[in-house]
Amino acid sequence: LVLGYGGSGSTAAGELLAQGIDAAKVVVVDRSEASVRLAADRGFTGLSGDATSEDLLRVAGAERARAAVVALDRDDATVLA
């Protein structure tokens, strides 16, 4: 699970690919539609919305995620995620 697909989040997601993780098993959550499209173009499952939303995190499969990368653009939102 990658929360935030800006500079840090996209780099972390790329590292997952480099480590042999199947892109289809990685869910990316970002509030930017453009970022979600970029993630989808790389094979990730992309969800658009607020990564601090419990409902969205449930849809993203946070409860089943083996790991989460929290790379949001605001420190206060990162603490809440």
Side-chain angles (χ1 to χ4, degrees):
L1 181 60
V2 178
L3 305 177
Y5 198 71
S8 297
S10 62
T11 298
E15 184 59 29
L16 292 173
L17 294 178
Q19 295 294 320
I21 303 295
D22 180 6
K25 294 183 178 184
V26 177
V27 178
V28 171
V29 178
D30 198 285
R31 69 178 69 212
S32 163
E33 289 283 341
S35 293
V36 170
R37 279 193 301 275
L38 288 172
D41 288 345
R42 290 180 76 185
F44 301 114
T45 299
L47 295 175
S48 180
D50 182 355
T52 65
S53 164
E54 288 184 30
D55 290 335
L56 183 58
L57 290 173
R58 206 171 344 289
V59 169
E63 295 170 346
R64 297 179 310 280
R66 290 179 55 199
V69 174
V70 181
L72 304 177
D73 60 353
R74 292 181 19 225
D75 288 341
D76 61 333
T78 299
V79 170
L80 293 173

